[in-house]
């Protein structure tokens, strides 16, 4: 008989709905697993008392509100970048080791309102900047497929938690790939929605528009269900996506029809040589192309839609965003070398130059969107390599080299942050190593067309299912 954690988040929600288990039963099950099995660096803060109280307050199936969604009563966790009132929120930094916010952000509030008790805060690197999760004051987040290898970042703790069965589904955030990178490393579905799909209330800390919250899950439908919970805009949001015509879960159940799928494997970062891409990544990309054709779609090779000149513009914006994470002067020595290096780069950019960079990036994005407009979806690899050993990218002695290492590992993901397109990483491939390692393949769609993307992703999952793949010590 299947254990509770073997079930999808939606299946667990159905058990709550019919009274087979209670929200408290599920919370206790996952709290026990998190306490015993978190050797993957998933959590930086566990809040068992708050989780039990929240689950108990939901009651039983008889207390379920009429308008409750399908994840009501299902446990989750909140990334350590997201404000959570009364719970330590350290942003992955020793400089904020004692920070406890008195307000929650829109994502936290949406999860609470939808009846998803949080077990605690998941690990993230300092300010969510690196694509690996190796904070100074916590163990590194690792993939449960090989605990000597990275879970990716910056939502590495969230992905490690879902992949190890410590929570059924979790939110992450993504400004350059930070949901899709750990999804690929951990053998999960990672969904970055369109710009403006999820509110950034109350901080609105990204004036460039690169970052958004999103879903990390074991199945496409679970990822869609969590997006249904988080989606929506608040009065005052600087941008928002139009509301969908149906739920995102419902989109997973419809035939996508025959789609035109553009594809390219040339890195968006032009100075990354093609021959540096792992052969298994190429195999995953080609196999996904064949699968899409077998499903009846037209797959067309296209040039890289962003020019090489867009990369330094993105880097300028990234550095300025890092510099906006202001800490008291006396705590600056606590910051990691990479953060200090990026912050110095950002502070060296003048206000007019930053404005020019934002304008240039928007023009590059417009050109890319025009080039891709004839296509319903775009296929690329997610990462250039399988999950690497912990520490393989990090270089505290040479932060510039650290940054270059990250670019070589992630030469595709940031493109869809620039354009604002929704994108999803799917765990379609595993290496043939003695201990197989997951490799994700990425699909993107036009802005605000998550329904098309999810219908296609669910069709792919049905044709090549991965749900029964379980890491060691599951």
């Amino acid at each position: 008989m299947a254990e509770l954690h073997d079930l999808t988040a939606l299946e667990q929600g159905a058990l709550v709905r019919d009274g087979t288990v209670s929200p408290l039963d599920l919370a206790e099950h996952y709290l026990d697993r998190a306490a015993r099995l978190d050797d993957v660096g998933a959590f930086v803060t566990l809040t068992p008392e708050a989780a039990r109280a929240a689950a108990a307050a939901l009651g039983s199936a008889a207390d379920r509100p009429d308008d409750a969604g399908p994840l009501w009563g299902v446990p989750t966790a909140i990334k350590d970048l997201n404000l959570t009132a009364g719970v330590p929120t350290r942003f992955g930094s020793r400089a904020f080791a004692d920070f406890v916010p008195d307000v929650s952000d829109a994502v936290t509030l949406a999860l609470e309102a939808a009846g998803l008790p949080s077990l605690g805060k998941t690990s993230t690197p300092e300010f969510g900047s690196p694509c690996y999760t190796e904070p100074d004051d916590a163990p590194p987040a690792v993939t449960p497929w090989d605990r000597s290898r990275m879970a990716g970042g910056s939502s590495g703790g969230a992905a490690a938690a879902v992949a190890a069965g410590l929570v059924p589904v979790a939110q992450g955030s993504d400004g350059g790939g930070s949901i899709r990178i750990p999804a690929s490393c951990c053998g999960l579905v990672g969904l970055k929605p369109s710009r403006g799909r999820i509110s950034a209330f109350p901080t609105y800390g990204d004036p460039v528009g690169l970052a958004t919250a999103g879903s990390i899950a074991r199945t496409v439908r679970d990822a869609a269900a969590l997006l249904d919970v988080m989606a929506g805009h608040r009065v005052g949001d600087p941008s928002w996506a139009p509301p969908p015509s149906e739920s995102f879960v419902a989109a997973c159940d419809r035939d996508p029809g025959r789609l035109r799928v553009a594809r390219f494997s040339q890195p968006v970062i032009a100075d990354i040589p093609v021959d540096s891409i792992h052969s298994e990544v190429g195999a995953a990309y080609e196999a996904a192309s064949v699968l899409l054709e077998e499903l009846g779609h037209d797959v067309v090779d296209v040039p890289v839609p962003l020019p090489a000149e867009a990369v330094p513009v993105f880097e300028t914006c990234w550095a300025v965003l890092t510099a906006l994470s202001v800490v008291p002067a006396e705590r600056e020595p606590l910051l990691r070398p990479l953060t200090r290096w990026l912050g110095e780069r950002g502070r060296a950019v003048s206000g007019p130059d930053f404005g020019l960079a934002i304008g240039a990036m928007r023009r590059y994005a417009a050109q890319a969107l025009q080039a891709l407009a004839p296509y319903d979806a775009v296929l690329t690899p997610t990462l250039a390599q399988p999950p690497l050993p912990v520490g393989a990218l990090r270089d505290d002695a040479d932060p510039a080299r650290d940054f270059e290492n990250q670019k070589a590992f992630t030469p595709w993901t940031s493109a869809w942050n620039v354009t604002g397109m929704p994108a999803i990483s799917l765990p379609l491939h595993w290496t043939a190593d003695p201990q197989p390692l997951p490799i994700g393949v990425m699909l993107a769609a036009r802005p605000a067309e998550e329904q098309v993307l999810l219908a296609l992703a669910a069709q792919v999952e049905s044709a090549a299912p991965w749900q029964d793949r379980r890491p060691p010590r599951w």
Side-chain angles (χ1 to χ4, degrees), residues 52-293:
R52 291 187 181 100
L58 294 176
S60 64
D63 305 302
R64 189 174 186 274
D66 293 339
D67 60 350
L71 294 182
W72 188 87
V74 175
T76 190
I78 298 170
K79 188 175 177 179
D80 199 33
L81 292 184
N82 290 85
L83 296 175
T84 308
V87 178
T89 303
R90 302 182 179 96
F91 313 111
S93 177
R94 290 184 298 166
F96 287 89
D98 54 0
F99 178 64
V100 180
D102 56 8
V103 297
S104 293
D105 66 15
V107 168
T108 300
L109 293 171
L111 294 171
E112 292 173 350
L116 280 77
S118 171
L119 304 192
K121 305 304 290 286
T122 56
S123 186
T124 186
E126 193 161 67
F127 306 143
S129 180
C131 67
Y132 52 82
T133 303
E134 299 172 19
D136 287 340
D137 59 351
V142 297
T143 176
W145 295 92
D146 180 343
R147 287 164 171 80
S148 71
R149 294 177 181 265
M150 64 177 65
S154 65
S155 305
V162 175
L166 310 184
V167 290
V169 69
Q171 59 82 214
S173 56
D174 190 316
S178 288
I179 286 171
R180 293 157 289 153
I181 295 163
S184 182
C185 289
C186 293
L188 299 171
V189 176
L191 173 62
K192 180 199 83 70
S194 300
R195 180 175 297 140
R197 177 63 69 194
I198 297 172
S199 176
F201 169 87
T203 57
Y204 304 114
D206 176 6
V208 184
L210 295 173
T212 179
S215 307
I216 298 173
R218 288 169 50 216
T219 70
V220 173
R221 295 184 81 250
D222 280 358
L226 190 61
L227 180 57
D228 277 322
V229 167
M230 296 186 291
H233 76 273
R234 290 170 172 259
V235 174
D237 286 354
S239 62
W240 59 88
S245 58
E246 60 184 341
S247 73
F248 294 116
V249 168
C252 297
D253 297 328
R254 62 178 173 87
D255 186 345
R258 183 171 182 168
L259 303 180
R260 294 194 75 207
V261 181
R263 75 166 199 162
F264 63 91
S265 59
Q266 179 83 20
V268 175
I269 302 173
D271 59 356
I272 305 300
V274 175
D275 59 9
S276 70
I277 298 168
H278 197 283
S279 60
E280 294 268 19
V281 170
Y285 168 77
E286 294 296 345
S289 300
V290 171
L291 177 58
L292 289 169
E293 289 178 332

Side-chain angles (χ1 to χ4, degrees), residues 300-329:
V300 182
D301 287 294
V302 300
V304 176
L306 286 167
E309 295 78 13
V311 175
V313 171
F314 176 89
E315 290 181 19
T316 295
C317 293
W318 193 259
V320 173
L321 291 175
T322 302
L324 294 180
S325 300
V326 179
V327 302

